[in-house]
């Protein structure tokens, strides 16, 4: 039985955590645990092998909601997040309401202007130029 060791953690592969070959490296350097590779990519902020420069093919998948882990936060951190979310919801509501009022008033002014003959559109101006 040939044992393969990963180049960073130097642990053997097993059924639960098998060794994979994600790049073009050869020899014992080609083996890596998938979890170790993910951790290395996160900590190094790179997307390619440091030795052979192979670009890793990566795919992001969301965990099902029931498998999400609860973040360990202090009461102060929870309060800050709650206040931030509340502030942003109120701010977005104010912006949407302001846009609604602005558009509604502008539409009303345009309707009133058309009734009083105050607004000329481009095609009306063109017709006036042809008359003179």
């Amino acid at each position: 039985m040939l044992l393969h060791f990963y180049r960073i953690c130097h642990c053997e592969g097993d059924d639960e955590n098998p060794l994979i070959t994600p790049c073009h490296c050869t020899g014992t350097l080609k083996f890596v645990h998938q979890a170790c590779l993910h951790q290395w990519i996160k900590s190094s902020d790179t997307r390619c092998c440091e030795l052979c420069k192979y670009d890793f093919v990566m795919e992001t998948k969301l965990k099902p909601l029931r498998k999400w882990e609860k973040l360990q936060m202090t009461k102060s951190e929870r309060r800050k997040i709650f206040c931030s979310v509340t502030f942003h919801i109120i701010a977005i509501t104010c912006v949407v309401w302001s846009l609604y009022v602005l558009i509604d008033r502008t539409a009303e002014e345009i309707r009133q202007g058309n009734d009083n003959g105050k607004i000329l559109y481009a095609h009306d101006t063109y017709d006036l130029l042809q008359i003179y």
Side-chain angles (χ1 to χ4, degrees):
M1 177 175 162
L2 182 60
L3 295 178
H4 297 288
F5 295 95
Y6 172 53
R7 59 184 168 210
I8 293 177
C9 72
H10 304 290
C11 296
E12 296 179 20
D14 56 25
D15 291 338
E16 291 181 20
N17 201 9
L19 294 168
I20 61 171
T21 55
C23 63
H24 295 299
C25 287
T26 58
T28 57
L29 293 178
K30 71 180 179 179
F31 296 107
V32 60
H33 294 108
Q34 187 167 1
C36 295
L37 178 62
H38 283 224
Q39 184 63 36
W40 177 78
I41 288 171
K42 284 181 186 178
S43 64
S44 67
D45 197 30
T46 185
R47 302 286 178 165
C48 68
C49 176
E50 61 186 352
L51 301 173
C52 70
K53 306 300 182 207
Y54 177 79
D55 288 325
F56 296 122
V57 178
M58 302 190 54
E59 185 177 304
T60 303
K61 293 182 182 178
L62 288 176
K63 288 182 183 179
L65 186 60
R66 65 182 181 277
K67 291 188 177 183
W68 286 12
E69 297 174 12
K70 186 176 179 180
L71 294 176
Q72 300 299 320
M73 294 186 288
T74 65
K75 285 184 179 183
S76 174
E77 290 171 327
R78 285 189 193 123
R79 185 172 41 251
K80 287 178 185 176
I81 290 174
F82 176 77
C83 290
S84 178
V85 169
T86 303
F87 168 79
H88 284 89
I89 289 172
I90 292 170
I92 289 171
T93 303
C94 290
V95 168
V96 169
W97 177 254
S98 297
L99 286 172
Y100 168 76
V101 169
L102 178 67
I103 292 168
D104 186 53
R105 287 186 181 171
T106 303
E108 183 64 32
E109 287 178 11
I110 289 172
R111 281 192 294 273
Q112 288 176 356
N114 282 343
D115 293 341
N116 297 333
K118 292 181 182 175
I119 297 179
L120 290 176
Y121 292 102
H123 60 78
D124 294 335
T125 305
Y126 180 72
D127 290 341
L128 287 173
L129 289 174
Q130 285 181 341
I131 293 172
Y132 296 109

